[in-house]
Amino acid sequence: MPGEFATFNDFMSLPVFFYHTLGVDPFESPSFNKVPSHWLYIVLLLNQLNMNFNFLMEFIYVVFYFNKPEHIVEICMTICYLGFVLVSQLKTASVWRQKDKLNDLVAELESIFPAAVRQEQDDYRVLYYKERCRFIFRSFSGLFLVLVVTYSFYTYVRYAIHHWLLHVPDLEKGMPFFPTSPWNYHDNWSYYLMYLLQVGGAYTATTGHISADLSITAVNTQLVMHFDYLSKSLAEFKIKAGSEPDGYAQDLAALRELILYHNKLLSDVMNSVFGVPLLLNFLTSSVMVCFVGFQMTLGLSADHTVKLALFMISAISEIYLICFFSDWLIASVGEY
């Protein structure tokens, strides 16, 4: 749109928002509003306590029923939940542990981001990359939010329909993810407390995946943008030596600037910050696809199959995201 300029915040604001809901401040930047640290610590503490509580309950459920064949479907699904939660925690911890390196990476990217000048932004095609990044943001985060909402509220909505509309007698209230609990929550108000704790844990685990993956998407998209600009600059480089008195010196100065620009892009910080989360993503998503695929061969009900299909699509989308951006970055580097 005429007069519209993209900013660095346009690429990074959504990942930062999801990190803040976890209680994590991923990096420090003067262009982002500072959230009071005490609020972040409180949110982080509550999320971690609830997440570890849910993880422990899931683990106990697997240990108690592992040797009972009649619970094979529930065990396989709970193992998928355990893997999902564990990877979410490790991805968040990896980014938090390497905050200093991420600060350096963000500062470097922000320093070379195209200025709010029409010609410069057009040369970099910033609006194109911004829209492409936003499309991936909306698609990926939307898919995972649909996943967590479906898994979190399907059980209770199904119970409400059967109990209040169909008037099915003696219907037992179920939990969205696992039935184990330190207390007896049946037929009392604590059922809703336990239910909300599981929903909160599911949101925390899902947001851990979303925030890390969107951060990788935002950084990778900007790197591709810069490499494409560098490739274009080299392809359109006009040699002035021989045509102007000081053309040789101008050529060297221009090439020196491009080399310095290139060296800024070849930073190992991105790999050191996001390398472990990417590896965990790929390994666990592959394992979850196998677990979910096995369950879908067992002749389950239609509603359970739909939930499993949604889980499988989410796992495959994470694998695709890794492969797509890796290939995109390699292609952009290889162009020059």
Side-chain angles (χ1 to χ4, degrees):
M1 293 177 61
E4 180 183 359
F5 296 103
T7 65
F8 181 75
N9 289 22
D10 292 332
F11 288 84
M12 303 300 297
S13 58
L14 190 59
V16 170
F17 166 77
F18 280 115
Y19 269 122
H20 284 171
T21 64
L22 293 176
V24 175
D25 195 13
F27 56 82
E28 296 176 0
S29 171
S31 60
F32 284 88
N33 294 327
K34 182 73 174 178
V35 178
S37 59
H38 59 278
W39 286 115
L40 288 177
Y41 289 143
I42 292 173
V43 173
L44 178 63
L45 178 61
L46 293 176
N47 280 330
Q48 290 303 310
L49 288 175
N50 185 44
M51 176 66 69
N52 290 324
F53 168 74
N54 281 279
F55 186 86
L56 178 62
M57 292 297 102
E58 289 176 338
F59 183 77
I60 291 174
Y61 178 77
V62 171
V63 171
F64 281 178
Y65 294 97
F66 188 78
N67 293 324
K68 298 182 179 180
E70 63 272 19
H71 292 281
I72 182 64
V73 175
E74 292 82 0
I75 291 299
C76 287
M77 202 66 232
T78 306
I79 290 175
C80 289
Y81 297 153
L82 285 170
F84 191 80
V85 171
L86 182 61
V87 172
S88 172
Q89 294 283 70
L90 291 175
K91 288 165 74 172
T92 303
S94 177
V95 172
W96 181 78
R97 185 174 60 87
Q98 306 211 48
K99 183 176 179 178
D100 291 338
K101 291 184 178 180
L102 189 55
N103 284 338
D104 295 337
L105 176 62
V106 170
E108 193 68 56
L109 289 174
E110 197 166 7
S111 68
I112 61 176
F113 193 85
V117 178
R118 172 53 54 204
Q119 185 59 48
E120 185 170 348
Q121 295 234 335
D122 288 344
D123 289 341
Y124 279 86
R125 302 171 65 206
V126 183
L127 292 179
Y128 164 76
Y129 289 103
K130 169 190 166 184
E131 292 304 318
R132 191 161 188 177
C133 191
R134 280 188 170 181
F135 171 77
I136 297 172
F137 279 0
R138 289 192 293 262
S139 302
F140 187 78
S141 59
L143 174 63
F144 270 76
L145 290 176
V146 168
L147 173 71
V148 70
V149 169
T150 301
Y151 271 80
S152 296
F153 296 104
Y154 171 79
T155 302
Y156 188 78
V157 170
R158 183 174 180 272
Y159 166 80
I161 292 174
H162 283 78
H163 181 72
W164 299 107
L165 296 180
L166 303 179
H167 303 289
V168 177
D170 302 324
L171 191 63
E172 183 179 353
K173 296 178 180 178
M175 285 291 169
F177 298 102
F178 54 88
T180 50
S181 172
W183 65 84
N184 181 13
Y185 56 78
H186 297 284
D187 299 324
N188 61 70
W189 64 269
S190 63
Y191 164 79
Y192 298 99
L193 173 62
M194 188 64 190
Y195 200 103
L196 290 176
L197 289 176
Q198 292 194 21
V199 171
Y203 173 80
T204 303
T206 304
T207 307
H209 282 267
I210 293 175
S211 53
D213 292 339
L214 294 191
S215 297
I216 295 171
T217 299
V219 171
N220 199 99
T221 301
Q222 291 183 68
L223 287 177
V224 171
M225 177 184 71
H226 288 293
F227 276 119
D228 283 349
Y229 173 77
L230 184 59
S231 176
K232 175 185 174 183
S233 299
L234 290 172
E236 298 176 354
F237 186 79
K238 295 180 180 179
I239 300 176
K240 298 180 180 179
S243 60
E244 297 183 14
D246 59 342
Y248 182 75
Q250 292 183 43
D251 290 342
L252 287 179
L255 289 173
R256 187 181 300 110
E257 290 296 323
L258 290 176
I259 292 172
L260 292 174
Y261 178 46
H262 171 266
N263 290 339
K264 288 183 178 181
L265 300 178
L266 291 181
S267 172
D268 291 331
V269 177
M270 180 178 175
N271 186 55
S272 63
V273 173
F274 296 116
V276 173
L278 282 171
L279 177 63
L280 293 171
N281 243 4
F282 193 83
L283 292 177
T284 55
S285 295
S286 301
V287 172
M288 284 192 286
V289 167
C290 296
F291 268 95
V292 174
F294 168 72
Q295 294 175 73
M296 295 180 72
T297 64
L298 299 179
L300 304 175
S301 61
D303 54 350
H304 201 95
T305 302
V306 170
K307 290 172 64 180
L308 288 174
L310 185 60
F311 198 99
M312 176 173 282
I313 292 172
S314 302
I316 292 175
S317 70
E318 284 198 284
I319 299 175
Y320 172 77
L321 200 68
I322 297 170
C323 297
F324 171 77
F325 276 108
S326 299
D327 181 71
W328 195 20
L329 183 57
I330 291 171
S332 67
V333 174
E335 285 181 358
Y336 72 96

